């Protein structure tokens, strides 16, 4: 069955430090992968996505992610974290409906990022 | 500005009552979705609709119902049959013409008293 695992439920980093959030997926076909961010009590905002091609993808707010097929991973990174990055981060894979271009998202459990001053 | 609106932001309901959550989008998107979010469980799909007048059950549809009479609107009714309805509900949409990420609304927090 398709699934997404985010091994770290909670991560704390110091402001200015680098960040890596882990994501592993289980999916038989070529995955379409996403990272979303959610501030408390808010909806989800798309940070970046991977469909094909270059395995290093750039997103908004200075985030990037690297797709590694051999490791079934899609880890999110940021070189220098800002206090405003404190939020919950979700990795997701889309399961397409048949041959259509739409599908449901399978989410990981989320990683809560806390930033220390 | 184009986007997705959900109302109300907070909703309280007594046990045994049905309640309807609103979701409207002006993005001209074909596909719309309802997810439920519980702490530590990520998001789970309740219902989705790929076109007007058509919708499909997601992974946790029991106790919920939807309609899609207009492209812009995809209301969710939480019925009294839903055993544990207190949660954060998120509506999302997707263009449908190409594979892309879903756009999310701000959510509705439902509390059953």
């Amino acid at each position: 069955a398709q699934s997404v695992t985010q091994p770290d439920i909670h991560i704390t980093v110091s402001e200015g430090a680098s960040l890596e959030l882990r994501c592993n997926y289980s999916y038989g076909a070529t995955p379409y992968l996403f990272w979303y961010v959610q501030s408390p009590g808010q909806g989800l905002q798309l940070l970046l996505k991977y469909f094909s091609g270059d395995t290093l993808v750039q997103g908004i707010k200075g985030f990037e992610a690297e797709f590694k097929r051999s490791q079934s991973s899609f880890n999110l990174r940021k070189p220098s974290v800002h206090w405003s990055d404190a939020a919950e981060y979700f990795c997701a894979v889309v399961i397409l409906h048949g041959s259509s271009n739409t599908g449901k998202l399978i989410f990981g459990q989320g990683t809560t990022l806390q930033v220390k001053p | 500005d184009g986007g997705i609106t959900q109302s109300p932001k907070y909703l309280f309901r007594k046990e045994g009552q049905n309640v309807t959550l609103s979701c409207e989008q002006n993005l001209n998107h074909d596909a719309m979705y309802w997810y439920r979010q519980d702490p530590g469980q990520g998001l789970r799909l309740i219902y989705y609709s790929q076109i007007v007048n058509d919708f499909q059950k997601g992974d946790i549809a029991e106790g919920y119902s939807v309609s899609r009479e207009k492209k812009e609107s995809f209301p969710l009714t939480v019925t009294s049959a839903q055993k544990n309805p207190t949660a954060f509900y998120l509506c999302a949409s997707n263009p449908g013409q190409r594979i892309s990420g879903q756009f999310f609304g701000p959510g509705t927090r439902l509390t059953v008293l």
Side-chain angles (χ1 to χ4, degrees), chain A residues 36 38 41 101-104, chain B residues 9 33 37 50 59 97 102:
Chain A
Y36 285 87
Q38 183 182 34
N101 289 326
T102 62
K104 70 174 185 180
Chain B
K9 179 77 170 170
Y33 305 80
Q37 184 176 23
Q50 292 180 270
D59 299 316
Q97 293 85 12
Q102 292 176 10

Side-chain angles (χ1 to χ4, degrees), chain A residues 6-70:
Chain A
Q6 293 178 244
D8 304 305
I9 295 174
H10 195 106
I11 282 185
T12 300
V13 300
S14 297
E15 190 168 16
S18 63
L19 171 70
E20 182 170 32
L21 302 182
R22 296 184 291 164
C23 172
N24 294 99
Y25 66 90
S26 173
Y27 188 58
T30 300
Y32 299 97
L33 295 159
F34 305 85
W35 274 101
Y36 285 87
V37 61
Q38 183 182 34
S39 297
Q42 302 298 315
L44 276 67
Q45 182 182 22
L46 180 65
L47 284 176
L48 48 77
K49 59 192 176 189
Y50 171 78
F51 289 170
S52 64
D54 195 347
T55 56
L56 184 64
V57 293
Q58 303 297 321
I60 62 172
K61 305 186 179 190
F63 286 92
E64 65 178 27
E66 186 171 13
F67 171 65
K68 293 186 178 179
R69 185 185 298 276
S70 62

Side-chain angles (χ1 to χ4, degrees), chain A residues 73-107:
Chain A
S73 69
F74 188 55
N75 294 348
L76 182 71
R77 302 194 294 245
K78 187 169 185 178
S80 177
V81 170
H82 188 262
W83 64 266
S84 60
D85 293 322
E88 190 160 19
Y89 292 81
F90 291 95
C91 181
V93 64
V94 67
I95 310 299
L96 295 176
H97 303 307
S99 57
S100 78
N101 289 326
T102 62
K104 70 174 185 180
L105 288 171
I106 304 293
F107 287 88

Side-chain angles (χ1 to χ4, degrees), chain B residues 48-90:
Chain B
Y48 65 95
S49 167
Q50 292 180 270
I51 57 172
V52 175
N53 292 323
D54 184 57
F55 49 83
Q56 307 293 331
K57 292 182 179 179
D59 299 316
I60 55 165
E62 185 175 352
Y64 300 97
S65 66
V66 294
S67 63
R68 186 86 187 276
E69 298 175 0
K70 298 186 300 181
K71 189 175 186 177
E72 304 79 25
S73 179
F74 191 42
L76 173 74
T77 297
V78 184
T79 75
S80 56
Q82 168 50 230
K83 298 278 190 288
N84 185 21
T86 294
F88 192 52
Y89 291 88
L90 287 156

